[in-house]
Amino acid sequence: MKTMALNSMNELKPLIHLLLPLCVHWIAEEMTVSVLVDVTTNALCPGKTTCSQAIYITGLQQTVVGIFKMVVLPLLGQLADDYGRKPMLLLTVSTTIFPFALLAWDESKAFVYAYYVLRTISYIISQGSIFCIAVAYVADIVEESKRAATFGWITGLFSASHVLGNLLARFLPGEYIFGVSIVLLIFCPVYMKLFLSETVRTNPRRDQQSTCLSTIFKVLQDRYKSMRNSVNVVANSATLRRIAYVSFFYELGMSGITSVLLYYLKSTFGFNKNQFSEILMLVGIGSIFSQILVLPLVNPLIGEKVILCIALLASIIYAILYGLAWAPWVPYLSASFGVIYILVKPSTYAVISNATSSANQGKAQGFIAGIQSVASFISPLIMSPLTSLFLSSKAPFNCKGFSLLCASISLIISLCHAWLLKTDEPTNSDGEDNADHIEAPLLS
């Protein structure tokens, strides 16, 4: 076990200039999560613990983000394959700075509305795409047999970043949280610009004398061809088609739960910033162990499919326990299953990566992420009004977590598709390789 862990760590050495700024970015984002519920509730519904307005505006945000991400995520994946990982990473990590700058300035109702507008734009560009591009970057460097363990380490670092972010949120005074977050967010693109190496060789531009109209036409033509290629990559692979179903139904259930969970806990049990941070830290600490130590150990023994099925089963239990929570300690028990269901993501990345050639990593990851975005805009259309109804006095029966129980049905469907998954396809079955793509960092 020690040897496997050391081997996994050796795989991370070429990735240090990618992982360091990403970890800082995740810390900066996570430290704002627990305090945002109190900020938005106090601004939109002063003096109340239940705020339907906040639930609906969060659901609306997620719906709008999901609609646009259907196009943006596959497009960013294509651009990362065609023009390089580094410029796309710089773009995606920079967008989060502006919405939090507003809340650092003022937390009034008008500024909270402005925050939601800018944060929606930021989510459209960055949510999901950062991980997709980072996974493609890893696939450029790490050989296929070691990718699952490396993805486990990366998602483990993601969880560690969440723990650190929640620790900062737990002990920092609320008025300093957004200011500290902005400083950390600015550090990330600056560091990447200075130190991150590119892994995709791009052709020099030869059409500098072209007219503006012909340039626009060529760009649109190239994007259409690339989009069609992305569809073919997934359509021609039974593995990718099946994992697309798994990802859709998993995201449909989990994104719906995530969008309403903290408001549900605040309304039902009166949880505040401190309880939210404790629950998030509980999941984060356990997730570090499961992703960094357990996943590299068990993956060679049972494979990505079995890990994926176990993780999906844990997500079902997680949703049911939250939906039936009868005492304040039950959410803590439910959160503990996050230690297992967190393995859904690295297992999914590994399945997609291993079923895709090196030239199409960004396209495949981006296309599957685009399918997930379809689910993420559908789920709040159902979850927001359903949660608001059962938290109100007009509920048809007494079950405040009924919407979470409904979300578990989607997770059950995802588990059924995962059970039918076949992961033994060759990686060169998805189209032509890109001759401009190399599998080692270029000197910048």
Side-chain angles (χ1 to χ4, degrees), residues 331-409:
Y332 289 87
L333 173 62
S334 178
S336 66
F337 283 89
V339 174
I340 305 174
Y341 86 67
I342 199 72
L343 298 179
V344 169
K345 290 295 184 181
S347 301
T348 301
Y349 294 142
V351 170
I352 297 170
S353 182
N354 293 340
T356 311
S357 69
S358 60
N360 290 318
Q361 291 290 325
K363 295 181 182 67
Q365 298 285 355
F367 191 85
I368 300 298
I371 291 173
Q372 292 175 338
S373 72
V374 177
S376 70
F377 92 78
I378 294 175
S379 60
L381 296 177
I382 304 169
M383 292 293 288
S384 294
L386 197 59
T387 303
S388 182
L389 173 63
F390 278 87
L391 290 178
S392 70
S393 58
K394 299 179 181 179
F397 52 88
N398 184 22
C399 183
K400 294 186 176 182
F402 181 73
S403 61
L404 307 183
L405 296 176
C406 293
S408 69
I409 298 173

Side-chain angles (χ1 to χ4, degrees), residues 290-309:
S290 63
Q291 292 170 107
I292 291 180
L293 296 179
V294 176
L295 181 60
L297 180 65
V298 302
N299 185 72
L301 301 176
I302 62 177
E304 293 91 353
K305 174 183 173 178
V306 177
I307 295 173
L308 181 61
C309 290

Side-chain angles (χ1 to χ4, degrees), residues 79-348:
L79 292 173
D81 281 345
D82 296 342
Y83 297 102
R85 317 296 189 204
K86 184 173 179 176
M88 294 302 104
L89 285 167
L90 288 172
L91 170 66
T92 52
V93 300
S94 299
T95 57
T96 313
I97 299 169
F98 305 103
F100 290 128
L102 283 177
L103 293 183
W105 188 5
D106 195 337
E107 296 179 3
S108 65
K109 187 174 185 178
F111 276 79
V112 167
Y113 279 127
Y115 158 80
Y116 272 110
V117 173
L118 289 183
R119 188 58 168 149
T120 299
I121 298 171
S122 168
Y123 272 142
I124 290 170
I125 298 172
S126 66
Q127 192 181 54
S129 58
I130 293 177
F131 242 120
C132 288
I133 300 168
V135 165
Y137 189 100
V138 172
D140 295 340
I141 299 173
V142 179
E143 60 184 86
E144 180 181 318
S145 62
K146 299 178 181 178
R147 287 177 191 167
T150 305
F151 294 152
W153 271 87
I154 293 173
T155 51
L157 291 174
F158 177 71
S159 298
S161 301
H162 277 205
V163 171
L164 292 175
N166 284 300
L167 278 173
L168 287 172
R170 180 68 175 81
F171 297 108
L172 268 179
E175 60 267 24
Y176 296 119
I177 287 179
F178 293 114
V180 174
S181 176
I182 290 169
V183 173
L184 297 178
L185 289 170
I186 292 173
F187 165 82
C188 302
V190 173
Y191 184 95
M192 283 185 174
K193 178 65 177 177
L194 294 176
F195 299 108
L196 187 66
S197 298
E198 183 55 81
T199 58
V200 175
R201 194 193 305 277
T202 57
N203 288 325
R205 296 180 63 182
R206 302 172 183 173
D207 58 347
Q208 294 179 352
Q209 303 301 320
S210 302
T211 64
C212 179
L213 185 62
S214 63
T215 300
I216 293 173
F217 177 77
K218 186 178 184 306
V219 169
L220 293 175
Q221 188 179 45
D222 289 345
R223 289 307 98 217
Y224 171 74
K225 290 180 179 178
S226 190
M227 180 69 76
R228 187 175 60 183
N229 185 34
S230 298
V231 174
N232 290 335
V233 165
V234 176
N236 293 333
S237 168
T239 299
L240 293 178
R241 290 199 304 272
R242 183 67 67 181
I243 201 68
Y245 291 127
V246 173
S247 298
F248 174 82
F249 287 106
Y250 174 77
E251 189 67 21
L252 185 66
M254 291 304 294
S255 65
I257 293 171
T258 303
S259 66
V260 302
L261 181 59
L262 298 187
Y263 294 101
Y264 159 73
L265 293 176
K266 185 177 181 67
S267 175
T268 305
F269 300 111
F271 281 12
N272 59 25
K273 175 177 75 74
N274 293 338
Q275 283 80 41
F276 295 149
S277 296
E278 289 167 0
I279 287 179
L280 294 171
M281 281 191 291
L282 173 65
V283 176
I285 292 171
S287 298
I288 297 169
F289 175 80
S290 63
Q291 292 170 107
I292 291 180
L293 296 179
V294 176
L295 181 60
L297 180 65
V298 302
N299 185 72
L301 301 176
I302 62 177
E304 293 91 353
K305 174 183 173 178
V306 177
I307 295 173
L308 181 61
C309 290
I310 293 172
L312 287 169
L313 179 61
S315 72
I316 295 169
I317 300 172
Y318 166 89
I320 292 174
L321 280 176
Y322 266 129
L324 297 176
W326 57 90
W329 60 267
V330 178
Y332 289 87
L333 173 62
S334 178
S336 66
F337 283 89
V339 174
I340 305 174
Y341 86 67
I342 199 72
L343 298 179
V344 169
K345 290 295 184 181
S347 301
T348 301

